[in-house]
Structure formats: C-alpha cells, structure tokens
Amino acid sequence: MSSELDMGVIPGVAKSDPILVIDGLRRSFGGLKAVDVDHLEIQRHTITSIIGPNGAGKTTLFNLLTGFDTPDEGQFLLDGEGLVGVPAHEVARRGMVRTFQLTKVLPRLTVLENMLVAAKGQRGETLRGALAGRWRNSERSNEERARDILEQFGLTNMSDDYAGRLSGGQRKLLEMARALMVEPTLVMLDEPTAGVNPVLIQSLLGHIKVLQEAGMTVIFVEHDMDVVQSISDWVVVVAEGRVIAEGSHDAISQNDAVIEAYLGSHRGEESE
C-alpha cells in the first residue's frame, strides 16, 4: 500500500508497456500556460481517467493529442510514432480516436448512416476502386460491421431512426459506437457521462469496459468521482496545466496535492 501511495505523489512514473508517451508538451494562450506536461505515460489496455478542477487544461491536452491544436513545444508518441503536427483525421486513422471527432451527430442521417460515415477504408472513394467494383465489397463489409457494433450498444432497433431524434444518452452511445468503426487502439472520451440520464450512465460505463476487454486503451476526462472510482485502473490529476499526481484511485484520494488542488480555495472560504 505504501508503494501505491508513493506512486500517487510522483507524476510521470514509468509504465511497463506504454501505448502513449508525452514529453515536454507545452501550450500557452497569451501569458497563460494551459498545458505544461513534463512527462506522462499511458499504460496499454488500461482505463485511465484524467481529473482536475475546471480550467486545469484537460480539454486542451486532449486537443493537442488528437490533432485539433498544435503544441508550442514538446512531443508525444503513439506506439513509438510521433504525432505532433499530424491533422486530426490522420491521427484517427493511425489509431487514436476522440469521440469529439465523431460527436457531431448528423441529425438528418439515420443511426446506421452515421455509423457508415465514420467507416475506415472506404475504397469506393477512389476512381480505381469504383471501377473495379471493390466499393461493393467494402460497403457490405462496413454495413455488417456497423450493424454488429450497433447490436453491441443496444441501438439495433434505432438503426433506421434519424439520429436527431436520439436522447442525449443515446447520442453518447452512438458516438462511442462510431469510434469503433475506425478500429482504434486508443479511445479518448471527454466527459462521457456529462448530461446523461443516470439510468444510462451504467450502460455507458459497461460499454467503456467492453472497449477495454476488446483490447483497446481508454483515456477519459471525468468530473464525477464515483464514476472515476468505479471504472478507472489509473488516475492522472491535472492542475494549472501540469500533472501533479497519478496512481490508483485510493492513492490519489489520499494525496495532499490533489486534495489541495480540489479543495484549497474552499478551505480558505470555510475558515473565514
């Protein structure tokens, strides 16, 4: 237990088989350092949650890693391959998918059509592929895969419904299902339970576990500590753009730096 607590106070601890390695990643807006990560490794096949107070830089970090923003300096490697400067669609093609890339559900398309839009390797888009008729095989394969995934997520009965008619929770499920159409190795979820009916939250968490069981690595930003505790293998705490601690939920919950980051300002208020 003591070693676990020790790891909870040392950010940047080495992992045995990291899928993602971040080194010296910095991003500033004006005079504010939004991201200032010296070193962080994400262990393969784990569910890692990133937590921190509002304005800690969590979403900016996601933006940098998924190609929606470019760092001022530093690098990050996915399976040893540098991705700094790689556009978002290419980052997804290489295996790192953020649901934000697929969240904009197309309301006038059906649920199935939304899935097919996200499909990987649509050969019919090339003239040669179309002339050779390969698009037919690709289209059939994509549709079969889409229907299989929709069944896994309990959305089969809605496959012909317009996506715009789905509830917020159902859209979250569709976002996650669409991510699987890209056949990712690492899935990044930005507050997957935010705004979701409590009845559907457990279903969402179950599907996140399924991603892990299927061999994927999951990173998610979450504010609900009950969710973090119930599903996370590892927790990374960010404050003012820096990783201030990482470890198991139990280790993190007893970390003074983490408690101060979350509760410090409130303590001051209470003492007045």
Side-chain angles (χ1 to χ4, degrees), residues 20 22 25 27 29 35 58-72 75-78 81-101 186 188:
L20 180 67
I22 302 169
L25 202 65
R27 183 69 169 106
F29 297 98
V35 172
K58 305 180 298 293
T59 296
T60 303
L61 178 60
F62 263 36
N63 288 342
L64 294 174
L65 296 176
T66 51
F68 284 94
D69 194 7
T70 304
D72 300 321
Q75 66 173 349
F76 54 93
L77 309 175
L78 178 69
E81 182 181 15
L83 292 180
V84 171
V86 176
H89 69 276
E90 182 63 18
V91 171
R93 193 186 71 80
R94 297 187 192 186
M96 181 160 58
V97 173
R98 177 186 180 181
T99 50
F100 176 80
Q101 293 171 244
L186 192 159
M188 303 181 69

Side-chain angles (χ1 to χ4, degrees), residues 165-179:
R165 296 179 180 174
L166 299 181
S167 69
Q170 290 165 343
R171 289 190 184 203
K172 293 279 188 177
L173 288 174
L174 178 56
E175 292 161 21
M176 208 177 298
R178 289 181 70 186

